[in-house]
Amino acid sequence: EVLLLESGGGLVQPGGSLRLSCAASGFSFSSFAMSWARQAPGKGLEWVSAISDSGDRTESAHSVRGRFIISRDNSQNIVFLQMNSLRVEDTAIYYCAKEGGSSTSGYYGVDVWGQGTTVTVSS
Amino acid sequence: QTVVTQEPSLTVSPGGTVTLTCASSTGAVTTGYYPNWFQQKPGQAPRALIYGTSNKHSWTPARFSGSVFGGKAALTLSGVQAEDEAVYYCLLYYGGTRVFGGGTNLTVL
C-alpha cells in the first residue's frame, strides 16, 4: 500500500521558517516525481511545488517562488518543503502527493495524496 | 497569473448524469494540459480520479469519465450515487507548473 505521511507543521510567526517532511512507503520512491499542494482554511487547493524523481528538476508556484524550496532524499524516501519568509497567507493544510511518473511534466498526473500537515502563520 | 475556472456548484439527482467543466484563462484546454480530476469530501484529503484527460486510476469507479470538448476539460458522472456528493477539483499542467481550478461543489439531491 502506498502511504505518504507528512510532518513538521505547526505555529510560526510571520517571517519565520518551517521545514515539512513527507515520508513515503509502499512504492519505489526514487522512480517517481513528488509534489506539495496546500489548502487554506475553507478554500480550494493550490499547487505549491514539484520535484522530479532524481531531484534534478523542480517547479514552484509564483506565490512561493524564492521563499519555498522542495528537495528529496531518495536514500530515506523523504521529500521536504523548506518554507522561509512565511506570511499569514501561507496558513494552510499542506499535502504531499505522489506523481504517476518520474518527471514533473504531468503526463501521468498525481495519484496518491497524504493526509496533510497544518501550518499556521500568526503573531 | 493563470486562472482555471470551474462551476462553483452543481446539483444532480441520484441516478442522473452531470458534467463538470474546467476552463483556462490562457485559452482552449487541450489534452496537452494533461487534465487531472480529484474528489474531496469534508475533512478528508483529496482523492485522484482521472489523469491525462481520460485515464482512470485503478480505484476510480466506472461511472466517472474524463474528456476535453468545447475548449474545456470535462468530468462526467453517470448514474450518480449519494456518495458522490463532494467537491471536485481539476488540475491543469502548464509546462512544469500546474494550476488547480477553484472546485465544484456537487450536491446529490
Side-chain angles (χ1 to χ4, degrees):
Chain A
E1 181 188 8
V2 173
L3 288 176
L4 301 172
L5 184 62
E6 301 94 335
S7 61
L11 175 64
V12 62
Q13 292 188 337
S17 297
L18 213 55
R19 188 174 84 155
L20 305 183
S21 299
C22 171
S25 62
F27 65 101
S28 180
F29 180 74
S30 61
S31 297
F32 294 92
M34 299 293 293
S35 288
W36 287 94
R38 66 185 180 183
Q39 188 167 35
K43 303 297 183 181
L45 296 170
E46 179 186 13
W47 173 75
V48 173
S49 195
I51 187 167
S52 62
D53 59 340
S54 63
D56 64 342
R57 186 174 179 89
T58 62
E59 307 282 355
S60 292
H62 287 291
S63 59
V64 305
R65 204 166 292 169
R67 300 189 299 125
F68 291 11
I69 300 171
I70 188 172
S71 62
R72 64 190 295 162
D73 183 342
N74 284 349
S75 68
Q76 299 289 324
N77 291 0
I78 301 177
V79 59
F80 302 99
L81 186 67
Q82 177 66 43
M83 304 187 296
N84 302 320
S85 303
L86 282 161
R87 305 167 180 168
V88 171
E89 55 265 34
D90 294 320
T91 295
I93 298 174
Y94 283 74
Y95 294 103
C96 170
K98 172 186 169 293
E99 304 257 328
S102 61
S103 77
T104 58
S105 69
Y107 186 80
Y108 292 103
V110 172
D111 53 13
V112 179
W113 294 70
Q115 288 302 305
T117 185
T118 299
V119 171
T120 302
V121 184
S122 174
S123 55
Chain B
Q1 184 86 350
T2 300
V3 177
V4 176
T5 302
Q6 299 180 242
E7 297 86 359
S9 63
L10 291 170
T11 300
V12 60
S13 300
T17 296
V18 65
T19 297
L20 291 62
T21 67
C22 176
S24 172
S25 63
T26 61
V29 176
T30 66
T31 57
Y33 287 80
Y34 306 126
N36 279 226
W37 290 92
F38 304 92
Q39 177 192 66
Q40 188 178 35
K41 296 183 178 181
Q44 296 183 15
R47 182 175 76 132
L49 295 173
I50 300 287
Y51 68 97
T53 303
S54 58
N55 298 293
K56 300 178 186 181
H57 296 284
S58 59
W59 54 83
T60 304
R63 61 184 180 276
F64 290 86
S65 63
S67 63
V68 169
F69 72 89
K72 298 180 182 181
L75 176 71
T76 299
L77 287 70
S78 305
V80 172
Q81 300 181 6
E83 67 196 49
D84 298 331
E85 185 162 291
V87 179
Y88 291 84
Y89 294 94
C90 67
L91 175 68
L92 300 181
Y93 285 74
Y94 298 84
T97 63
R98 65 285 307 264
V99 180
F100 280 100
T104 295
N105 193 344
L106 182 66
T107 300
V108 181
L109 196 59

